[in-house]
Amino acid sequence: MKHFSLEEIAGWDRFYRANFINSLSGFKPVSLISTKSKEGINNLAIFSNIVHIGADPALVGFINRPIDAAPHTIQNIEQIGYYTINHIHPSFVAAAHQTSAKYDVGISEFEKVGLHAEYKVDFYAPFVMESKVQYALELAEIIPIKRNNTFLVIGELKHVFIDQEIIANDGLINLSKVDSMVSLGIDGYCLTSPVARFQYAKPDKDLGIIDL
Amino acid sequence: MKHFSLEEIAGWDRFYRANFINSLSGFKPVSLISTKSKEGINNLAIFSNIVHIGADPALVGFINRPIDAAPHTIQNIEQIGYYTINHIHPSFVAAAHQTSAKYDVGISEFEKVGLHAEYKVDFYAPFVMESKVQYALELAEIIPIKRNNTFLVIGELKHVFIDQEIIANDGLINLSKVDSMVSLGIDGYCLTSPVARFQYAKPDKDLGIIDL
């Protein structure tokens, strides 16, 4: 294997380095985050740096870039407190990527990219109608990351919409069955195929396999 | 689609709910985090909640569970300041999962699960020899998440080891070529297959496709 030191990486062209670093940490759970402003304008934006924080309470986080680079989603969340996260599937992955274009604040990405805002359960922010895994969050905390002026935005789960058939007997949501995509780097998108599940591991005990 | 409210989810059996919530946010960039204690004992543990924080400076974060549930990795990082993250491939995914067993602090998971510690570039913590994507970090910041007593551990990139052949002309690391795995929920593992890359999106401009 080839060794790349930080000194070498720091000397690379900015775009080359960004592609490299963004793919180094692995495939990412890319999704569309949907918000609605105080003025009633829907905003839809693609985020790949989403992270499971905990199951009880059910908390999901995402990294928002510095405010000047990506203001709309975080400002709507801060003002309103509610947002939805929606998985991406191959049928609309190009539209999902197009939400990353810098539209003006008064413009709804839903209309521009051809996705549909779906309102339900009296939730303030819309869901993405085309998405097969939709969940709604209430803002829990915004944690500034001083090192690079990004933010960890943490939400507490309020609602989930999925098909019952993709839930395994023990609660696992089999996302491969609905082709939920992962992203690679800044602009790559992939599908997944199941390999295996393993039982709860214990020292000095053989590991059992569960079907996936 | 079926609607699940927080009230319904909160009433579920603990394990069913954990499987459900852990898979809801999407596939995860599962990896092995390797540390070495002050006493010289290697520790190896599987983590799935890894998140790209930024490319310049190059920062990667992961969520560490509450200290009493998962003390070894975070304590070694706090004391020593250096650790490595190593991708997982099908040839050793069972061994990687086995690192989640609760071994005593004086025991090295490397030996117990049959993976090999590789020392190089004078880095204090070992790399996982079997891994085809290895990177080394220096601790930047540990941010407590008070809502559930977890921690966001952020490291700054110091070294990368990968094959030159998996790097695209523009810097993207094509992780599908080395079968870097993703995880699903607590115990599921999947492979990925590339679908497409898209050009930088701009308002009112058709989206170009790049090979992946």
Side-chain angles (χ1 to χ4, degrees), chain B:
Chain B
M1 286 195 289
K2 191 160 157 43
H3 171 222
F4 301 94
S5 68
L6 179 62
E7 290 68 33
E8 179 174 356
I9 293 167
W12 289 343
D13 160 76
R14 181 183 149 211
F15 295 103
Y16 189 97
R17 187 179 63 221
N19 284 326
F20 184 91
I21 301 297
N22 268 279
S23 44
L24 178 64
S25 55
F27 298 98
K28 302 188 264 192
V30 66
S31 297
L32 285 166
I33 300 188
S34 164
T35 56
K36 188 163 75 167
S37 70
K38 275 191 305 191
E39 293 76 22
I41 310 288
N42 294 335
N43 184 275
L44 189 64
I46 192 165
F47 284 82
S48 57
N49 300 314
I50 293 169
V51 62
H52 168 84
I53 306 277
D56 185 22
L59 301 172
V60 177
F62 72 91
I63 303 296
N64 198 100
R65 289 185 299 148
I67 289 280
D68 53 349
H72 302 162
T73 297
I74 193 168
Q75 284 174 352
N76 284 350
I77 290 175
E78 205 162 24
Q79 289 179 3
I80 302 294
Y82 296 97
Y83 53 109
T84 75
I85 302 187
N86 308 267
H87 285 205
I88 296 167
H89 315 289
S91 59
F92 63 89
V93 60
H97 186 79
Q98 182 63 32
T99 65
S100 62
K102 289 188 192 305
Y103 293 103
D104 289 337
V105 66
I107 288 176
S108 167
E109 288 83 1
F110 277 100
E111 287 168 34
K112 284 290 177 183
V113 309
L115 292 170
H116 294 89
E118 181 180 16
Y119 286 95
K120 49 194 179 189
V121 291
D122 281 332
F123 201 75
Y124 186 79
F127 297 82
V128 176
M129 190 180 286
E130 287 79 359
S131 176
K132 295 172 182 170
V133 180
Q134 311 168 346
Y135 55 106
L137 300 161
E138 179 176 358
L139 175 63
E141 191 176 3
I142 296 178
I143 301 177
I145 299 174
K146 297 193 189 84
R147 186 67 65 121
N148 68 348
N149 297 317
T150 60
F151 301 87
L152 173 62
V153 181
I154 300 176
E156 186 164 350
L157 188 69
K158 293 291 160 188
H159 303 281
V160 176
F161 291 90
I162 49 173
D163 281 337
Q164 180 76 54
E165 300 92 72
I166 67 169
I167 308 175
N169 290 337
D170 62 2
L172 181 93
I173 308 171
N174 198 331
L175 298 175
S176 297
K177 286 192 180 167
V178 287
D179 285 345
S180 287
M181 301 190 85
V182 291
S183 66
L184 176 63
I186 296 169
D187 52 18
Y189 299 90
C190 303
L191 284 169
T192 73
S193 49
V195 172
R197 291 180 71 187
F198 297 104
Q199 289 177 345
Y200 187 82
K202 293 181 179 175
D204 305 315
K205 181 173 170 289
D206 283 345
L207 199 56
I209 294 179
I210 309 169
D211 281 345
L212 175 59

Side-chain angles (χ1 to χ4, degrees), chain A residues 193-212:
Chain A
S193 49
V195 172
R197 291 180 71 186
F198 296 104
Q199 289 177 344
Y200 186 80
K202 293 182 178 175
D204 305 316
K205 182 175 169 287
D206 283 346
L207 199 56
I209 294 180
I210 310 169
D211 282 346
L212 175 58

